[in-house]
Amino acid sequence: MADQLLSTVSHHSSVPDNYVRPESQRPRLHEVVRDADIPTIDLGSLDVSRVIAQVGDACSSFGFFQVVNHGVPDELMLSLMAVASEFFRLPPEEKAKHYSDDPAKKMRLSTSFNIRKETVRNWRDYLRLHCYPLEEFVPGWPSNPASFKEVVSGYCREVRQLGFRLLGLISLSLGLEEEYMVKVLGEQEQHMAVNYYPKCPEPELTYGLQAHTDPNALTILLQEPKVAGLQVLKDGKWIAVNPQPNAYVINIGDQLQALSNGRYRSVCHRAVVNSDTDRMSVASFLCPCNSAVISPPEKLVGDGSPAVYRSYTYEEYYSKFWSRNLDDEHCLELFKASDAQEA
Protein backbone atom coordinates (compact mmCIF):
# COMPACT_ATOMS: atom_id res chain seq x y z
CA MET A 1 0.00 0.00 0.00
CA ALA A 2 3.02 2.32 0.30
CA ASP A 3 2.67 2.95 -3.43
CA GLN A 4 -0.16 5.29 -2.36
CA LEU A 5 2.45 7.78 -1.14
CA LEU A 6 2.96 10.91 -3.22
CA SER A 7 6.61 11.03 -2.17
CA THR A 8 7.41 7.79 -4.02
CA VAL A 9 6.99 9.65 -7.33
CA SER A 10 9.70 12.15 -8.28
CA HIS A 11 7.52 14.21 -10.59
CA HIS A 12 3.78 14.65 -11.01
CA SER A 13 2.72 15.89 -14.44
CA SER A 14 -0.96 16.26 -13.56
CA VAL A 15 -3.33 15.90 -10.62
CA PRO A 16 -5.04 12.47 -10.62
CA ASP A 17 -8.84 12.54 -10.56
CA ASN A 18 -9.06 11.27 -6.99
CA TYR A 19 -7.32 14.46 -5.77
CA VAL A 20 -9.48 16.92 -7.70
CA ARG A 21 -11.99 18.86 -5.61
CA PRO A 22 -15.44 19.70 -6.97
CA GLU A 23 -15.59 23.22 -8.37
CA SER A 24 -17.42 24.60 -5.33
CA GLN A 25 -14.79 23.24 -2.91
CA ARG A 26 -11.60 24.49 -4.55
CA PRO A 27 -9.23 26.84 -2.73
CA ARG A 28 -9.68 29.96 -4.94
CA LEU A 29 -6.13 31.02 -4.25
CA HIS A 30 -6.59 34.41 -5.96
CA GLU A 31 -9.03 35.42 -3.18
CA VAL A 32 -6.59 34.76 -0.30
CA VAL A 33 -5.54 37.79 1.80
CA ARG A 34 -1.73 37.81 1.76
CA ASP A 35 -0.86 40.91 3.78
CA ALA A 36 -2.97 40.53 6.94
CA ASP A 37 -1.68 41.90 10.23
CA ILE A 38 -1.25 38.64 12.12
CA PRO A 39 -0.49 38.77 15.88
CA THR A 40 3.16 38.09 16.71
CA ILE A 41 4.00 37.79 20.39
CA ASP A 42 7.51 38.16 21.82
CA LEU A 43 7.72 35.61 24.61
CA GLY A 44 11.07 37.10 25.62
CA SER A 45 9.42 40.37 26.66
CA LEU A 46 9.90 41.45 30.28
CA ASP A 47 6.41 42.98 30.30
CA VAL A 48 4.59 39.80 31.27
CA SER A 49 1.20 41.46 31.78
CA ARG A 50 1.37 42.79 28.21
CA VAL A 51 2.23 39.31 26.89
CA ILE A 52 -0.76 37.84 28.75
CA ALA A 53 -3.06 40.50 27.29
CA GLN A 54 -1.70 39.89 23.78
CA VAL A 55 -2.31 36.15 24.14
CA GLY A 56 -5.90 36.75 25.26
CA ASP A 57 -6.58 39.17 22.40
CA ALA A 58 -5.12 36.78 19.81
CA CYS A 59 -7.03 33.76 21.15
CA SER A 60 -10.37 35.58 21.13
CA SER A 61 -10.06 37.49 17.87
CA PHE A 62 -7.93 35.22 15.66
CA GLY A 63 -7.66 31.83 17.38
CA PHE A 64 -3.98 31.72 16.52
CA PHE A 65 -0.79 33.75 16.76
CA GLN A 66 2.93 33.51 16.07
CA VAL A 67 5.57 33.50 18.81
CA VAL A 68 9.21 34.56 18.69
CA ASN A 69 11.92 34.33 21.37
CA HIS A 70 10.15 31.19 22.55
CA GLY A 71 13.20 29.39 23.96
CA VAL A 72 13.46 26.47 21.51
CA PRO A 73 17.01 26.64 20.08
CA ASP A 74 17.19 27.79 16.47
CA GLU A 75 19.69 25.06 15.61
CA LEU A 76 17.31 22.38 16.90
CA MET A 77 14.51 23.71 14.71
CA LEU A 78 16.84 23.62 11.69
CA SER A 79 18.04 20.10 12.54
CA LEU A 80 14.47 18.86 12.82
CA MET A 81 13.49 20.19 9.39
CA ALA A 82 16.66 18.74 7.89
CA VAL A 83 16.16 15.22 9.26
CA ALA A 84 12.47 15.32 8.32
CA SER A 85 13.35 16.25 4.75
CA GLU A 86 15.93 13.48 4.68
CA PHE A 87 13.30 10.97 5.80
CA PHE A 88 10.95 11.79 2.92
CA ARG A 89 13.84 11.47 0.44
CA LEU A 90 14.47 7.87 1.49
CA PRO A 91 13.93 5.15 -1.16
CA PRO A 92 10.33 3.89 -1.46
CA GLU A 93 11.19 0.46 -0.08
CA GLU A 94 12.61 2.07 3.08
CA LYS A 95 9.53 4.23 3.63
CA ALA A 96 7.26 1.25 2.95
CA LYS A 97 8.39 -0.27 6.28
CA HIS A 98 6.46 2.44 8.12
CA TYR A 99 3.35 2.77 5.96
CA SER A 100 -0.11 2.27 7.48
CA ASP A 101 -3.61 3.62 6.88
CA ASP A 102 -4.77 2.67 10.40
CA PRO A 103 -5.41 5.89 12.42
CA ALA A 104 -5.05 3.93 15.67
CA LYS A 105 -1.36 3.15 15.09
CA LYS A 106 1.03 5.09 17.32
CA MET A 107 3.63 5.51 14.59
CA ARG A 108 2.77 5.48 10.91
CA LEU A 109 3.64 6.94 7.57
CA SER A 110 0.55 7.67 5.53
CA THR A 111 -0.98 10.01 3.02
CA SER A 112 -3.93 12.42 2.70
CA PHE A 113 -5.84 12.52 6.04
CA ASN A 114 -7.95 9.42 6.64
CA ILE A 115 -7.53 7.44 3.44
CA ARG A 116 -10.00 4.73 4.51
CA LYS A 117 -12.92 7.17 4.56
CA GLU A 118 -12.15 9.84 1.96
CA THR A 119 -13.59 10.16 -1.50
CA VAL A 120 -11.19 12.97 -2.48
CA ARG A 121 -7.60 12.87 -1.27
CA ASN A 122 -5.28 15.59 0.01
CA TRP A 123 -1.93 16.35 -1.63
CA ARG A 124 0.12 15.35 1.41
CA ASP A 125 2.22 12.58 2.91
CA TYR A 126 2.88 12.60 6.63
CA LEU A 127 4.71 10.76 9.36
CA ARG A 128 2.62 10.57 12.53
CA LEU A 129 4.42 10.00 15.84
CA HIS A 130 3.26 9.63 19.41
CA CYS A 131 5.81 11.47 21.52
CA TYR A 132 4.95 11.08 25.20
CA PRO A 133 6.25 9.37 27.18
CA LEU A 134 9.31 9.34 24.93
CA GLU A 135 10.85 6.20 26.40
CA GLU A 136 7.73 4.29 25.40
CA PHE A 137 7.59 5.42 21.77
CA VAL A 138 11.10 6.31 20.56
CA PRO A 139 12.22 2.67 20.13
CA GLY A 140 9.53 2.21 17.46
CA TRP A 141 10.48 5.33 15.49
CA PRO A 142 12.44 5.14 12.23
CA SER A 143 16.14 4.31 12.57
CA ASN A 144 16.86 5.79 9.17
CA PRO A 145 18.05 8.57 8.97
CA ALA A 146 20.54 7.65 11.67
CA SER A 147 20.05 10.88 13.62
CA PHE A 148 16.24 10.79 13.46
CA LYS A 149 15.49 9.47 16.95
CA GLU A 150 17.99 11.74 18.69
CA VAL A 151 16.99 14.95 16.90
CA VAL A 152 13.24 14.39 17.06
CA SER A 153 13.17 13.31 20.71
CA GLY A 154 15.25 16.35 21.73
CA TYR A 155 12.87 18.57 19.81
CA CYS A 156 9.81 16.97 21.42
CA ARG A 157 11.11 17.75 24.91
CA GLU A 158 11.61 21.42 24.07
CA VAL A 159 8.21 21.81 22.40
CA ARG A 160 6.41 20.17 25.32
CA GLN A 161 7.87 22.74 27.72
CA LEU A 162 6.91 25.56 25.36
CA GLY A 163 3.38 24.17 25.22
CA PHE A 164 3.05 24.14 29.00
CA ARG A 165 4.33 27.71 29.14
CA LEU A 166 1.73 28.77 26.58
CA LEU A 167 -1.06 26.97 28.44
CA GLY A 168 -0.03 28.94 31.53
CA LEU A 169 -0.31 32.23 29.65
CA ILE A 170 -3.68 31.19 28.24
CA SER A 171 -4.95 30.33 31.74
CA LEU A 172 -3.82 33.69 33.07
CA SER A 173 -5.42 35.52 30.15
CA LEU A 174 -8.78 33.99 31.16
CA GLY A 175 -8.36 35.16 34.75
CA LEU A 176 -7.57 31.63 35.97
CA GLU A 177 -4.60 30.41 38.00
CA GLU A 178 -1.55 29.78 35.84
CA GLU A 179 -1.61 26.00 36.31
CA TYR A 180 -5.32 25.59 35.58
CA MET A 181 -5.18 24.31 32.00
CA VAL A 182 -2.19 22.04 32.62
CA LYS A 183 -3.97 20.47 35.61
CA VAL A 184 -7.37 19.99 33.98
CA LEU A 185 -5.88 18.45 30.82
CA GLY A 186 -4.19 15.76 32.90
CA GLU A 187 -1.08 13.81 31.88
CA GLN A 188 -1.12 15.25 28.39
CA GLU A 189 -0.38 13.14 25.38
CA GLN A 190 1.86 14.59 22.71
CA HIS A 191 1.69 13.79 18.99
CA MET A 192 3.59 15.05 16.00
CA ALA A 193 2.74 15.19 12.30
CA VAL A 194 5.69 15.67 9.97
CA ASN A 195 4.00 16.90 6.80
CA TYR A 196 5.38 16.71 3.28
CA TYR A 197 3.55 18.55 0.50
CA PRO A 198 5.14 17.84 -2.91
CA LYS A 199 4.97 20.54 -5.52
CA CYS A 200 1.71 20.19 -7.39
CA PRO A 201 1.16 20.81 -11.11
CA GLU A 202 -2.36 22.22 -10.54
CA PRO A 203 -2.61 23.67 -7.02
CA GLU A 204 -5.99 25.29 -7.72
CA LEU A 205 -7.62 21.85 -7.95
CA THR A 206 -6.67 20.35 -4.60
CA TYR A 207 -5.53 20.90 -1.01
CA GLY A 208 -2.58 19.86 1.06
CA LEU A 209 -5.12 19.59 3.86
CA GLN A 210 -8.66 20.91 3.61
CA ALA A 211 -10.26 23.25 6.11
CA HIS A 212 -10.53 21.85 9.64
CA THR A 213 -10.06 22.61 13.30
CA ASP A 214 -7.72 20.61 15.52
CA PRO A 215 -9.34 18.20 18.01
CA ASN A 216 -6.60 18.63 20.62
CA ALA A 217 -5.85 21.44 23.09
CA LEU A 218 -2.92 23.29 21.51
CA THR A 219 -0.97 23.02 18.25
CA ILE A 220 2.58 24.30 17.81
CA LEU A 221 3.51 24.51 14.13
CA LEU A 222 6.95 24.86 12.64
CA GLN A 223 6.73 26.02 9.03
CA GLU A 224 9.22 25.77 6.20
CA PRO A 225 11.08 29.11 6.50
CA LYS A 226 10.59 30.28 2.91
CA VAL A 227 7.49 28.42 1.67
CA ALA A 228 4.01 29.60 2.64
CA GLY A 229 1.09 27.18 2.72
CA LEU A 230 -0.86 27.62 5.96
CA GLN A 231 -4.05 29.67 5.72
CA VAL A 232 -6.60 30.51 8.42
CA LEU A 233 -10.19 31.64 8.20
CA LYS A 234 -11.08 35.03 9.68
CA ASP A 235 -14.28 36.96 9.08
CA GLY A 236 -15.14 34.73 6.13
CA LYS A 237 -11.80 35.30 4.36
CA TRP A 238 -8.78 33.05 4.06
CA ILE A 239 -5.58 34.65 5.36
CA ALA A 240 -2.10 33.45 4.41
CA VAL A 241 0.15 32.90 7.42
CA ASN A 242 3.55 33.75 6.01
CA PRO A 243 6.48 32.10 7.79
CA GLN A 244 8.68 34.20 10.05
CA PRO A 245 12.28 33.21 10.79
CA ASN A 246 12.56 31.00 13.89
CA ALA A 247 8.90 31.51 14.80
CA TYR A 248 6.09 29.13 15.67
CA VAL A 249 2.44 29.36 14.74
CA ILE A 250 0.26 28.57 17.75
CA ASN A 251 -3.36 27.67 17.27
CA ILE A 252 -6.12 26.96 19.74
CA GLY A 253 -7.64 23.49 19.48
CA ASP A 254 -11.21 22.41 20.10
CA GLN A 255 -10.58 21.55 23.77
CA LEU A 256 -9.42 25.06 24.65
CA GLN A 257 -12.47 26.51 22.91
CA ALA A 258 -14.64 24.30 25.12
CA LEU A 259 -12.64 24.99 28.29
CA SER A 260 -12.79 28.74 27.68
CA ASN A 261 -16.59 28.39 27.34
CA GLY A 262 -16.38 29.61 23.78
CA ARG A 263 -14.37 32.76 24.54
CA TYR A 264 -11.39 31.49 22.59
CA ARG A 265 -11.67 30.17 19.05
CA SER A 266 -10.48 26.89 17.65
CA VAL A 267 -9.44 28.35 14.34
CA CYS A 268 -10.42 26.82 11.02
CA HIS A 269 -7.29 26.40 8.93
CA ARG A 270 -6.05 24.64 5.81
CA ALA A 271 -2.85 23.89 3.91
CA VAL A 272 -2.54 24.74 0.23
CA VAL A 273 0.13 23.59 -2.21
CA ASN A 274 2.08 25.27 -4.98
CA SER A 275 3.58 24.38 -8.34
CA ASP A 276 7.08 25.71 -7.67
CA THR A 277 8.49 23.82 -4.72
CA ASP A 278 7.93 21.14 -2.11
CA ARG A 279 6.88 22.30 1.35
CA MET A 280 7.31 20.77 4.78
CA SER A 281 5.85 21.58 8.17
CA VAL A 282 5.97 19.94 11.58
CA ALA A 283 2.88 20.16 13.78
CA SER A 284 3.18 19.27 17.47
CA PHE A 285 -0.06 18.58 19.32
CA LEU A 286 -0.67 18.72 23.06
CA CYS A 287 -3.72 16.58 23.85
CA PRO A 288 -5.66 15.96 27.06
CA CYS A 289 -5.31 12.51 28.55
CA ASN A 290 -8.20 10.31 27.48
CA SER A 291 -9.90 10.44 30.88
CA ALA A 292 -9.70 14.25 31.19
CA VAL A 293 -13.15 15.75 31.70
CA ILE A 294 -13.61 18.78 29.48
CA SER A 295 -15.91 21.25 31.21
CA PRO A 296 -15.62 25.03 31.57
CA PRO A 297 -14.35 26.31 34.94
CA GLU A 298 -16.94 27.76 37.33
CA LYS A 299 -15.31 31.17 37.00
CA LEU A 300 -16.32 31.34 33.32
CA VAL A 301 -19.88 30.09 33.81
CA GLY A 302 -22.79 32.01 35.27
CA ASP A 303 -23.77 35.69 35.32
CA GLY A 304 -25.52 35.28 32.00
CA SER A 305 -22.81 33.01 30.56
CA PRO A 306 -24.17 29.45 30.74
CA ALA A 307 -22.03 26.51 29.68
CA VAL A 308 -21.81 26.42 25.89
CA TYR A 309 -20.75 22.75 25.78
CA ARG A 310 -21.74 19.76 27.87
CA SER A 311 -19.11 17.91 29.89
CA TYR A 312 -17.38 15.06 28.09
CA THR A 313 -14.16 13.09 28.19
CA TYR A 314 -11.43 13.64 25.62
CA GLU A 315 -11.63 9.97 24.68
CA GLU A 316 -15.27 10.48 23.69
CA TYR A 317 -14.39 13.54 21.63
CA TYR A 318 -11.40 12.04 19.85
CA SER A 319 -13.36 8.92 18.90
CA LYS A 320 -16.10 11.08 17.38
CA PHE A 321 -13.55 13.23 15.52
CA TRP A 322 -11.91 10.27 13.79
CA SER A 323 -15.25 8.71 12.86
CA ARG A 324 -16.01 11.69 10.62
CA ASN A 325 -14.60 13.34 7.52
CA LEU A 326 -12.73 16.62 7.84
CA ASP A 327 -15.41 18.11 5.59
CA ASP A 328 -18.15 17.47 8.15
CA GLU A 329 -19.46 20.15 10.51
CA HIS A 330 -17.26 21.28 13.39
CA CYS A 331 -17.05 18.36 15.79
CA LEU A 332 -17.65 20.66 18.77
CA GLU A 333 -21.16 21.29 17.48
CA LEU A 334 -21.97 17.72 18.50
CA PHE A 335 -21.10 18.54 22.12
CA LYS A 336 -23.12 21.70 22.61
CA ALA A 337 -25.11 21.92 25.82
CA SER A 338 -28.83 21.49 25.32
CA ASP A 339 -29.48 25.07 26.48
CA ALA A 340 -26.96 26.38 23.92
CA GLN A 341 -28.56 24.31 21.14
CA GLU A 342 -31.99 25.70 21.93
CA ALA A 343 -30.63 29.23 21.97
Side-chain angles (χ1 to χ4, degrees), residues 175-190:
L176 306 169
E177 63 181 58
E178 186 172 3
E179 296 299 315
Y180 184 87
M181 291 298 177
V182 170
K183 286 179 180 176
V184 79
L185 295 171
E187 190 71 10
Q188 292 178 63
E189 292 193 9
Q190 184 178 350

Side-chain angles (χ1 to χ4, degrees), residues 4 82 164 235 239 302:
Q4 306 281 344
F164 287 168
D235 300 328
I239 297 172

Side-chain angles (χ1 to χ4, degrees), residues 200-329:
C200 177
E202 299 168 286
E204 285 277 6
L205 300 182
T206 191
Y207 288 104
L209 201 55
Q210 77 265 41
H212 65 286
T213 63
D214 289 341
N216 51 292
L218 194 69
T219 300
I220 301 172
L221 181 74
L222 176 61
Q223 295 201 81
E224 185 98 17
K226 296 180 181 178
V227 188
L230 174 66
Q231 298 177 352
V232 301
L233 189 64
K234 178 164 171 48
D235 300 328
K237 295 183 178 180
W238 286 102
I239 297 172
V241 184
N242 298 314
Q244 292 188 39
N246 306 316
Y248 283 108
V249 179
I250 311 300
N251 75 265
I252 301 302
D254 293 351
Q255 307 319 310
L256 287 185
Q257 178 168 324
L259 286 167
S260 71
N261 204 33
R263 295 189 188 187
Y264 290 173
R265 295 175 49 212
S266 179
V267 67
C268 193
H269 55 288
R270 67 186 189 182
V272 298
V273 291
N274 69 84
S275 57
D276 299 322
T277 184
D278 300 344
R279 174 178 176 262
M280 294 196 66
S281 70
V282 180
S284 296
F285 308 103
L286 285 183
C287 313
C289 68
N290 280 337
S291 60
V293 176
I294 306 301
S295 183
E298 290 182 11
K299 193 168 185 178
L300 302 184
V301 178
D303 296 329
S305 299
V308 178
Y309 306 101
R310 67 172 176 83
S311 296
Y312 57 86
T313 64
Y314 184 60
E315 183 175 32
E316 182 185 0
Y317 192 92
Y318 201 64
S319 173
K320 183 71 72 176
F321 180 86
W322 276 100
S323 71
R324 305 154 60 255
N325 290 319
L326 273 188
D327 295 313
D328 294 344
E329 69 171 342

Side-chain angles (χ1 to χ4, degrees), residues 31-298:
E31 297 179 3
V32 173
V33 178
R34 304 199 176 274
D35 56 356
D37 188 15
I38 290 168
T40 299
I41 300 174
D42 182 356
L43 294 184
S45 171
L46 298 178
D47 189 346
V48 178
S49 61
R50 182 167 181 266
V51 171
I52 293 168
Q54 287 177 324
V55 167
D57 287 346
C59 290
S60 59
S61 60
F62 280 82
F64 79 104
F65 50 93
Q66 297 202 60
V67 293
V68 295
N69 295 321
H70 41 67
V72 180
D74 297 350
E75 59 271 19
L76 185 55
M77 298 165 77
L78 289 171
S79 296
L80 179 77
M81 292 299 271
V83 78
S85 178
E86 193 178 346
F87 174 83
F88 280 101
R89 292 197 306 268
L90 290 172
E93 59 272 16
E94 184 68 22
K95 286 185 288 195
K97 298 175 183 177
H98 308 293
Y99 182 85
S100 173
D101 60 8
D102 179 4
K105 286 199 71 172
K106 305 293 188 184
M107 194 283 292
R108 63 192 175 101
L109 174 63
S110 197
T111 190
S112 193
F113 172 71
N114 187 353
I115 202 169
R116 291 183 175 182
K117 295 184 67 64
E118 294 162 332
T119 54
V120 182
R121 293 188 184 179
N122 294 300
W123 198 262
R124 159 181 101 134
D125 289 348
Y126 62 96
L127 180 65
R128 184 87 181 196
L129 304 172
H130 279 231
C131 309
Y132 184 84
L134 280 168
E135 60 271 16
E136 180 179 337
F137 295 114
V138 171
W141 289 0
S143 299
N144 188 5
S147 62
F148 185 91
K149 291 180 179 179
E150 179 183 359
V151 170
V152 177
S153 59
Y155 179 84
C156 288
R157 291 188 187 95
E158 293 284 347
V159 165
R160 188 174 182 84
Q161 292 310 306
L162 172 59
F164 287 168
R165 183 181 175 192
L166 290 165
L167 288 171
L169 292 169
I170 289 167
S171 295
L172 291 168
S173 73
L174 287 165
L176 306 169
E177 63 181 58
E178 186 172 3
E179 296 299 315
Y180 184 87
M181 291 298 177
V182 170
K183 286 179 180 176
V184 79
L185 295 171
E187 190 71 10
Q188 292 178 63
E189 292 193 9
Q190 184 178 350
H191 307 167
M192 174 187 285
V194 183
N195 301 308
Y196 173 71
Y197 304 99
K199 61 183 178 180
C200 177
E202 299 168 286
E204 285 277 6
L205 300 182
T206 191
Y207 288 104
L209 201 55
Q210 77 265 41
H212 65 286
T213 63
D214 289 341
N216 51 292
L218 194 69
T219 300
I220 301 172
L221 181 74
L222 176 61
Q223 295 201 81
E224 185 98 17
K226 296 180 181 178
V227 188
L230 174 66
Q231 298 177 352
V232 301
L233 189 64
K234 178 164 171 48
D235 300 328
K237 295 183 178 180
W238 286 102
I239 297 172
V241 184
N242 298 314
Q244 292 188 39
N246 306 316
Y248 283 108
V249 179
I250 311 300
N251 75 265
I252 301 302
D254 293 351
Q255 307 319 310
L256 287 185
Q257 178 168 324
L259 286 167
S260 71
N261 204 33
R263 295 189 188 187
Y264 290 173
R265 295 175 49 212
S266 179
V267 67
C268 193
H269 55 288
R270 67 186 189 182
V272 298
V273 291
N274 69 84
S275 57
D276 299 322
T277 184
D278 300 344
R279 174 178 176 262
M280 294 196 66
S281 70
V282 180
S284 296
F285 308 103
L286 285 183
C287 313
C289 68
N290 280 337
S291 60
V293 176
I294 306 301
S295 183
E298 290 182 11

